[in-house]
Every structure is written in C-alpha cells, then in structure tokens.
Amino acid sequence: MTDAATSSTADSHHPLLWPLLATLLIIGWSSGFVGIRYANQEASVMLLLFWRTLLSGLILLPFALMIGPRISLRAVKDQALFGIMAVFLYLGGFALAIEQRVPTGMVALIADLLPLAIAVLSQPVLGESLTARQWLGTAIAILGVLVVSFDSLSFGTAPAWAYGLTVGSMLVFAVASVLHRKRKTQTMKVHQSLCIQMLVGSVLFGLCASMQGSLAPPMTRDFAIGMIWLVLVATFLAYAVYYTSLRLFPVAKVSAAIYLSPPVTMIWAWILFSEPLTVAMFAGAAVTLVGMWMTSRG
C-alpha cells in the first residue's frame, strides 16, 4: 500500500482519529515547558536532557525487546540516525541556544516555524505538495504564531552563531521528519524506534553533561516532578503520537498541529505558574487555529 493510500484509508475510515491524535500531539508538544520549568532550576540543561532520554529509553527497552518484530542491525542504524537528528541535535541545539542567552521567545518562534520547513521539504522529497488553500492556511497560522509571540520577542546579547543554531536545529528536525516518512521503517513499532532514539540521545547528552560535571541527578522534589512530566508527557506522549501520525497522514498535515503549541503552552503557564494571559494571545491563538484547520483539511 502506498503512502497516499494509507493516508486516504486513515482519513476515510477513522474520521475522529486525526482530531484525537492532533489534540494529543498539541498537549504533548507544549507540555515540555512544564517539565523544563520545574527541573531546570535544579540542573543544567544537558544533565536534564541526559536523564530525560536515559529514563525514557530504559523504560521502553523491555517492551521494545519483547513486543514487536525482531530488531535488525540495519533498523538500529536507521533509528540511531533519527535519534541523532530528532533528539540530540533538535533538543540539544535549542537548549544550547537558550544557555547562550538567546531570548526564549525568539527560540520558541523559530521552533514553531517547523511546520513551514516541513511543508517546503515534503513536496520535493515526498511528492506531498500543498494546495493553494493549505499554503494560505500555513501563512495564517504563522501570522497567529507571530501575534501570540509578539510580546516575548526580543534580540538578546547572544552571539550570532547561537541564533543560527536555533534555525539549524529546527531544519534538522524538519529533515528528520521527512526522512522518517520516506524511509521504509513501517515494520518497526513506534515504541521500538522511540526506545533506540532515546538511548542514542542519552549517550550523546551524557557525554556533553559529563564535560560540565557529575552525571548524578539532583535528589530534589522539583527535579523528580519535572523529570516525570518530561518522560511521560513530553517524550512518550509527544514523540509517540508524532511518529504514529507520520505513518498515517501527510507530514505537512501532522506538523501543522504544532502551530498551536505556543498558545497552549501559555495556557499551561497561566494554570501552573500564574503567568498572565493577554487579549493578543487569545487573538493570535484564534488566528492560528483557523490556519491549522485550513492546512489540515487540504
């Protein structure tokens, strides 16, 4: 069955499947802020990412070995590549940029341009071209993201390469998403591929963290709460739903859901940390929702 046929089947026989997956993806993708907020006060970003990926991989390991097809060496190599791109370079690149004092609002805005990069790449690589309606929806969604992020945008004192690092990290994840859709890895279950990617990421993050000091985790309540959130929601939910969706739907449609992560993140911050919500944020969220709807419908 071709990718187009798979997408068509998913759309026609499961009308509620995409709304459900999109909702879970938005919740999982935006929830990373919560875990980082709790845990980053207790540990460096690299140490935090090391324990996040290590725990995620170790929890998945027995299920990956016992449930699903036998994992071949070639499959391990393929997933290791995705782990380097979608876990280490993507998460690590943005984390390093923040440590270099690139303003968080600017980092978030660049990260949320990911769907646009994926849409551009999906046409020449996958042959999944966007219609005029979808390009208009993409433009509207980006406008909404700009409105939501406007108050937090600023240019800090970070070096120029740190800003380039954020763009590069976003593009790396876009390439990884398109390659994941293109490569014939359908026989490997999502939990198996995610396990390999997380363990590969943990090795690389561990090397980086070891250069900064000890790999021992802080034995504090905030770090534990943040780590539980990062592993269960921001990793298991977000990545599993994302890769599952890529197997069922066009990559540009899946990535369009990420446009709603900024307003949802701000709602998380309002509920948990009492950060203010403005009229502009609600207006931007509404505009983004319209753009996402147009892009998803195609």
Side-chain angles (χ1 to χ4, degrees), residues 33-283:
F33 170 82
V34 180
I36 293 291
R37 175 71 178 267
Y38 271 107
N40 190 220
Q41 300 175 0
E42 308 293 333
S44 68
V45 172
M46 287 299 166
L47 184 62
L48 187 156
L49 292 176
F50 164 68
W51 281 105
R52 171 185 175 178
T53 52
L54 178 63
L55 291 175
S56 299
L58 291 178
I59 291 172
L60 288 173
L61 184 59
F63 300 99
L65 295 176
M66 295 185 296
I67 303 175
R70 181 180 179 183
I71 301 176
S72 66
L73 180 60
R74 178 179 178 182
V76 170
K77 292 179 179 179
D78 286 343
Q79 296 306 322
L81 174 61
F82 292 131
I84 293 172
M85 298 175 69
V87 177
F88 177 68
L89 294 179
Y90 177 67
L91 295 178
F94 281 116
L96 182 58
I98 292 175
E99 282 193 336
Q100 291 295 318
R101 298 184 180 180
V102 176
T104 305
M106 183 65 68
V107 172
L109 176 61
I110 295 174
D112 292 325
L113 295 180
L114 171 67
L116 177 60
I118 290 178
V120 172
L121 289 172
S122 62
Q123 181 170 354
V125 178
L126 302 175
E128 297 179 357
S129 59
L130 271 65
T131 64
R133 176 195 180 99
Q134 287 178 309
W135 279 117
L136 178 60
T138 297
I140 293 174
I142 292 174
L143 176 62
V145 171
L146 287 171
V147 173
V148 170
S149 307
F150 181 77
D151 290 338
S152 62
L153 291 182
S154 62
F155 287 94
T157 58
W161 65 262
Y163 289 91
L165 185 63
T166 60
V167 177
S169 299
M170 180 269 292
L171 292 176
V172 164
F173 192 85
V175 172
S177 298
V178 174
L179 290 178
H180 189 275
R181 171 77 174 178
K182 184 179 178 63
R183 297 295 294 270
K184 302 301 182 181
T185 58
Q186 306 293 346
T187 57
M188 178 174 285
K189 301 296 184 180
V190 172
H191 67 280
Q192 293 177 311
S193 59
L194 188 58
C195 173
I196 297 171
Q197 293 176 27
M198 289 297 139
L199 290 178
V200 170
S202 70
V203 172
L204 298 174
F205 284 130
L207 291 175
C208 295
S210 64
M211 298 178 184
Q212 301 175 344
S214 172
L215 293 179
M219 305 305 291
T220 63
R221 183 180 66 90
D222 287 346
F223 184 83
I225 293 175
M227 195 55 55
I228 291 172
W229 190 271
L230 284 171
V231 171
L232 296 182
V233 182
T235 300
F236 288 168
L237 180 63
Y239 276 84
V241 172
Y242 186 71
Y243 286 133
T244 299
S245 300
L246 283 180
R247 295 184 177 187
L248 298 175
F249 301 98
V251 65
K253 178 176 182 176
V254 175
S255 63
I258 299 174
Y259 282 130
L260 277 179
S261 63
V264 173
T265 298
M266 291 172 184
I267 293 175
W268 280 118
W270 173 66
I271 294 174
L272 298 173
F273 310 121
S274 301
E275 294 187 4
L277 289 176
T278 66
V279 175
M281 291 178 183
F282 283 106

